[in-house]
Amino acid sequence: MSVTIDVEGFAELEKALDNLSKSAGKAVLRRALKKAAQPTADLARSMAPVKTGKLAKSVIVGTRLDGRQARIHRRMFRDDKAAVEMFVGPSYLRGDGGRHGHLVEFGTSKMAARPFMRPAWDQDKHAMLERLSDELWAELEKSIRRAEKRAAKLAAKG
């Protein structure tokens, strides 16, 4: 399942990001997304049903998907190469716990659904967007200061 959010009022942020290189801008976005999404992951971890504890331990914030997820994702977003994405949820990269997260979340013919990701998102989405806004500005200011320092050093050398 994919959730898309349209947020307004980020025009000033976009203008400020234009002052950075493409790679620096993407790094700012990645760092801010990761920091803003971490509390959502922590909440999902706390809501995950506990049998062995592996499912809760597998919930991460990251940029990587497993092979199957990546193939599906590429088909859905093949034209959007400039996007910066962060994923929150059970990860196959963390072992067995992540491999059955979708079955727990949505249920099976033999097991009732025990959602933990969607309730965490529903509970935290507004706060997460506020955190994202704050983190984006903070990371952007840090990156601009670093770029200014580098430019000053280069100017002093030559």
Side-chain angles (χ1 to χ4, degrees), residues 9 13 27 40 54-55 81 87-88 111 146 148 151 155:
L13 179 70
T40 305
K54 289 181 180 180
L55 178 58
K81 304 227 186 305
F87 304 100
V88 179
M111 179 184 83
R146 282 192 299 269
E148 288 171 348

Side-chain angles (χ1 to χ4, degrees), residues 26 73 91 113 136:
K26 281 188 169 193
H73 187 69
S91 173
L136 279 169

Side-chain angles (χ1 to χ4, degrees), residues 5-90:
I5 301 171
D6 290 322
V7 180
E8 295 180 14
F10 278 74
E12 300 86 17
L13 179 70
E14 194 168 345
K15 278 184 184 177
L17 282 169
D18 286 341
N19 293 325
L20 298 174
S21 68
K22 189 174 181 179
S23 63
K26 281 188 169 193
V28 163
L29 293 170
R30 265 192 295 279
R31 285 191 304 268
L33 281 166
K34 187 164 183 130
K35 286 180 185 176
Q38 190 59 55
T40 305
D42 295 341
L43 184 58
R45 228 177 264 118
S46 74
M47 293 178 156
V50 178
K51 189 173 182 180
T52 64
K54 289 181 180 180
L55 178 58
K57 288 178 186 172
S58 76
V59 175
I60 64 166
V61 177
T63 58
R64 294 181 58 202
L65 298 171
D66 70 37
R68 181 181 156 280
Q69 291 169 326
R71 281 190 301 280
I72 292 168
H73 187 69
R74 272 194 302 273
R75 271 187 250 131
M76 290 170 55
F77 299 101
R78 71 179 64 145
D79 297 331
D80 196 1
K81 304 227 186 305
V84 174
E85 300 170 317
M86 196 65 56
F87 304 100
V88 179

